[in-house]
Amino acid sequence: MADVVVVGIGADGWPGLGEQAREAVAKAEVIAGSHRQLSLLPDTPAELRPWPSPLMPALRELLTCGRRIVVLASGDPMHHGIGATIARIVPEVRVIPHPSSVSLACARLGWPVESVTVVSMVGRPLAAVFAPGRRFVVLSEGSGSPAAVAEALSACGYDRSAVTVLEQLGGPGERVGPIRDDHDPLNVVAVECVADDPLPIVPGLPDDAYDHDGQLTKREVRAVVLAFLQPGGLLWDVGGGAGSIAIEWMRADRSCRAVTVERDPARAARIAGNAARLGVPALKVVTGAAPQALAGLEPPDAVFIGGGLTAEGVPETCWQALKPGGRLVATAVTVESESVLARWHRDRGGDLTRLSVSRAAPVGGFTGWRPAMPVTIWSVRKDLT
Ligand SMILES: C[S@@+](CC[C@H](N)C(=O)[O-])C[C@H]1O[C@@H](n2cnc3c(N)ncnc32)[C@H](O)[C@@H]1O
């Protein structure tokens, strides 16, 4: 194995490197990094290797070449950087960090680093659940990212948020200010969320937060379903409708993942739009009918069946795939689907609950109760063995 040092370097380039980092660079036989990072070094006898695309084959080849290697990474290599990838391949790697762009941004803004949520837009869409007062530092993909952040805020009613773009942090071209038309590609975006009428961060978003055609688990039932599901890990949301259960599962915690299966293509497209607007664009949408469309999916930690309960093999397939200790929750409004739940409850136990929700609505000049169809909820935990 090669002798590998990962050196964090900032926009301040060579003058910003400490003694240890300079020594490692001086001793290196091969130095790898982006064109921009390599151009920050003074003349060196070492072989310079700009990263090709794709990166991984070149990285593996480099790390096994048996020479003294320095890999340049921006800021703190272990924070959204190449350091963690290299440490997986070469556990004995030495990492010399530079302050991360997040630390520099917080230093400029007077924000404690622990008060911010860091999200990356590098190679992925923005995934941020906005809430009043929440602070984000967004790691940009390029000069277009600040506008994309502003657009996402606006789509969720957070137009009045304080947005600061910090470019070339720590370098001679550093610039800190509001969104403009032309940003340096090297930037991060700091957001302090402000909204007049914010969406709640707990489950049970208003029904009109979703684009839907009526196939939606209504707010009150949704809040109870999420309480039974206990978000954590991977959810299968079978019969996605508008995607509300999967979306609120993912909004509960950044570690939550979900896949939703919906047979109707128009609804599946709507789910993707709802997920993007409500801050969870990584929701995986499978267009197809269960149980066939469930084949090959990663085993879930929890399953919600909101549609397809009476289709041949749906509950069986979900139950078999569910990990030991996982939760399964299903809802039914018809006599046929209720009878499926009654059978499963008899055979597997768990809780059978019936919710009847009425909402007050105008009746002539008065107010009366409009009952929704009662919903039966079966909730069960699979044994650990
Ligand atoms: C009541 S809606 C679910 C609402 C959803 N939980 C929400 O809140 O947005 C039921 C959905 O299940 C879908 N569905 C029914 N049978 C299905 C099956 N076998 N596979 C996939 N989707 C199915 C329907 O197209 C419908 O969109």
Side-chain angles (χ1 to χ4, degrees), residues 215-217 239-245 261-263 267 288-290 304 306-308 311:
Q215 291 292 315
L216 175 78
T217 303
S244 74
I245 301 292
V261 175
E262 171 53 57
R263 68 180 176 193
R267 287 188 193 136
F304 174 64

Side-chain angles (χ1 to χ4, degrees), residues 41-180:
L41 300 181
D43 281 347
T44 161
E47 180 195 339
L48 299 184
R49 286 206 198 168
W51 292 126
S53 175
L55 173 79
M56 280 315 283
L59 183 61
R60 283 186 188 284
E61 192 271 317
L62 175 77
L63 297 178
T64 50
C65 74
R67 299 166 73 190
R68 268 198 311 279
I69 295 161
V70 159
V71 175
L72 299 179
S74 63
D76 180 349
M78 301 305 285
H79 189 235
H80 290 270
I82 199 168
T85 310
I86 294 179
R88 271 197 301 275
I89 303 171
V90 186
E92 58 279 15
V93 61
R94 188 154 71 100
V95 179
I96 306 176
H98 189 273
S100 70
S101 53
V102 174
S103 296
L104 291 172
C106 288
R108 301 297 183 268
L109 297 167
W111 290 359
V113 176
E114 69 274 16
S115 74
V116 307
T117 302
V118 179
V119 290
S120 173
M121 287 183 79
V122 179
R124 65 194 100 162
L126 177 65
V129 174
F130 303 126
R134 217 174 241 187
R135 286 170 168 171
F136 290 93
V137 172
V138 181
L139 306 178
S140 294
E141 180 158 59
S143 49
S145 297
V149 172
E151 200 180 305
L153 286 165
S154 173
C156 299
Y158 279 83
D159 308 72
R160 294 203 303 114
S161 301
V163 180
T164 309
V165 185
L166 302 101
E167 300 161 84
Q168 288 280 348
L169 276 166
E174 178 172 319
R175 208 160 149 171
V176 177
I179 292 195
R180 301 186 317 273

Side-chain angles (χ1 to χ4, degrees), residues 334-356:
T334 64
V335 172
E336 290 77 8
S337 52
E338 269 195 355
S339 72
V340 174
L341 292 191
R343 220 173 40 246
W344 277 80
H345 175 248
R346 185 197 60 206
D347 294 346
R348 307 271 170 196
D351 296 313
L352 207 50
T353 308
R354 183 170 236 221
L355 280 189
S356 297

